Amino acid sequence: MQRYNVDLIDAINAEGVKKATSANNYFSILTNTGNAYIIGSTKGTTKKLTIDNGIDMLTSESSSIIQTEEDKACLIEDSGKISCSDIQGDIKSLVELKYDYKGNYALLTDQGNLYRWGKLAKAQGELVSQNVENIIANDSAFAFLRLDGTVGAWGSRTQGGEFIYDYYSFEQTYFKASKKCVPVKNNESDYDSSDIYDPNYEPAYDLICGRGYEQVSIPAYYSPEKKHSEHKLDTELTNVKKIVGASGSFAALTLDGDVITWGTIFSGGNIYSDKVNHANELTNIVDIKTNTNGYSTIRQDGDITSWQGIWDIAAEIQFGEYIKYYYYDQNRPSHVGFSDAFIKASPDSVTSFTSNEGAYLLTEKAKRESSPHFILNSWGFKELGAGLTNIKLPGKVDKVFPHKTGFTIYTDQGHIYNIDVPNEIAVLKKVETTI
């Protein structure tokens, strides 16, 4: 370890750690003296920050924000850039966007003030709204819930930043027989790679396609053509109690038990159009979760509905063309490994309902037992922990933690159960612990 890093760690220990958080590639540390440090894995990322009088700190996937005694919020991006702005209230939640929208951040304070940084902001630390209860983000957009039950959003217009949803229909289109130029494939039995160094070597020449190419005949065929349309929400986003976000969409649950979605149909943003049409199922809903690909809900009568919308899950090369295959929820093929929840829940008995990035987990109090037990079910993508049905375990659920390929459950009896997928099948194991 470099001497500089050792000195920094000695300084941190001497000042005393007040709070430590982790981002994807580094740790942020706030000391009792108000100094802030970054400890990273690459050269130059371990350093003391030029921020004084820090009193609190939050970290998202790639950035940190530090609140100072002077009521400023200082955002530290993964590039090392620091920008400070005045805020009102104590920092409560920090979220950020990904991929093409990386570098956009939103901060919520305990007084309900919402601020933003990045290219989507008019100014760094811009006040977006007040009286905000919650802020969430998907990959490309933000959505927030106000105390009065109304919802706001910004970001990618097609991924949830505006209150629209899209729809794709697939019409069988007839393509006439044709010919296409493709590179010549050498016959392996006759081909000698050393031929290309022969000064007299010339690749095959086609009068239409040119040297090194040949014509192939493509017979007439039918193929689905994708037709796209966009629609504005015709339902006003009021009386909302909860919002959740998949990768390219958002869903709102109202106090009346209705679900409203917007964003792309490829991650559950459209529940309204024909062939998708889940809206009639999504009434009297008591809770909703997302697995980033879509959503799952529990209805008051115990019915569970999961949806994505359209699945883009396969492709192949035909006659030199890359052809994709799309499926709606109702004709999703079994080989994708998504298991639905063929159970009837008891909402009054639910002790936990959570999700990771592909599967859902539900636990309920077991009935008619002489001692406390709970029932466990999981559904969604099998390779991420789904496919467990009506498993009875002793005790009461204390906490559930989702992880990349499953879940970990802690009970009031001190037992720990882990769901993982060692060979493409979800397995529940009790973790042996010693004290």
Side-chain angles (χ1 to χ4, degrees), residues 321-390:
E321 295 287 344
Y322 184 74
I323 300 175
K324 282 192 172 186
Y325 294 90
Y326 301 93
Y327 303 88
Y328 295 94
D329 287 330
Q330 70 269 25
N331 69 342
R332 179 186 67 237
S334 60
H335 72 261
V336 304
F338 188 95
S339 66
D340 286 296
F342 298 108
I343 58 171
K344 197 88 166 178
S346 300
D348 294 338
S349 299
V350 171
T351 54
S352 68
F353 179 31
T354 190
S355 60
N356 59 21
E357 292 190 356
Y360 302 94
L361 178 78
L362 178 73
T363 62
E364 304 173 73
K365 296 176 184 176
K367 299 177 181 178
R368 295 182 292 276
E369 293 290 333
S370 57
S371 60
H373 284 69
F374 64 94
I375 305 296
L376 180 151
N377 286 278
S378 67
W379 65 95
F381 287 101
K382 296 177 181 178
E383 68 268 24
L384 295 176
L388 300 176
T389 304
N390 291 329

Side-chain angles (χ1 to χ4, degrees), residues 20 147 167 177 185 242 283 305 327 359:
L147 292 170
Y167 184 56
K185 290 185 177 181
K242 182 178 182 179
T283 58
T305 300
Y327 303 88

Side-chain angles (χ1 to χ4, degrees), residues 288-309:
I288 183 170
K289 295 290 181 182
T290 178
N291 68 350
T292 73
N293 298 279
Y295 302 92
S296 195
T297 59
I298 302 175
R299 203 161 65 183
Q300 185 63 55
D301 63 5
D303 277 353
I304 294 174
T305 300
S306 302
W307 75 94
Q308 179 171 321

Side-chain angles (χ1 to χ4, degrees), residues 85-198:
S85 301
D86 293 328
I87 62 169
Q88 291 184 340
D90 294 331
I91 58 176
K92 176 182 175 182
S93 179
L94 174 68
V95 293
E96 64 178 281
L97 303 185
K98 302 177 182 179
Y99 310 121
D100 292 343
Y101 286 81
K102 183 177 172 61
N104 288 283
Y105 310 89
L107 171 70
L108 179 63
T109 72
D110 65 348
Q111 292 185 10
N113 296 310
L114 179 61
Y115 303 88
R116 64 183 172 189
W117 284 259
K119 292 182 179 180
L120 295 175
K122 296 177 182 177
Q124 300 311 296
E126 174 194 4
L127 178 65
V128 179
S129 185
Q130 296 176 303
N131 300 315
V132 174
E133 180 181 352
N134 189 25
I135 173 71
I136 63 172
N138 62 24
D139 291 347
S140 308
F142 297 99
F144 59 94
L145 175 63
R146 299 184 185 92
L147 292 170
D148 64 2
T150 60
V151 175
W154 79 93
S156 167
R157 63 178 300 275
T158 59
Q159 306 283 309
E162 294 185 14
F163 297 117
I164 61 174
Y165 61 90
D166 62 8
Y167 184 56
Y168 288 85
S169 58
F170 301 92
E171 300 176 6
Q172 286 294 109
T173 303
Y174 176 75
F175 292 87
K176 295 180 180 179
S178 61
K179 291 187 176 181
K180 183 175 182 177
C181 295
V182 299
V184 173
K185 290 185 177 181
N186 295 293
N187 187 322
E188 292 185 2
S189 60
D190 301 329
Y191 177 65
D192 184 348
S193 62
S194 64
D195 287 346
I196 63 174
Y197 301 105
D198 185 341

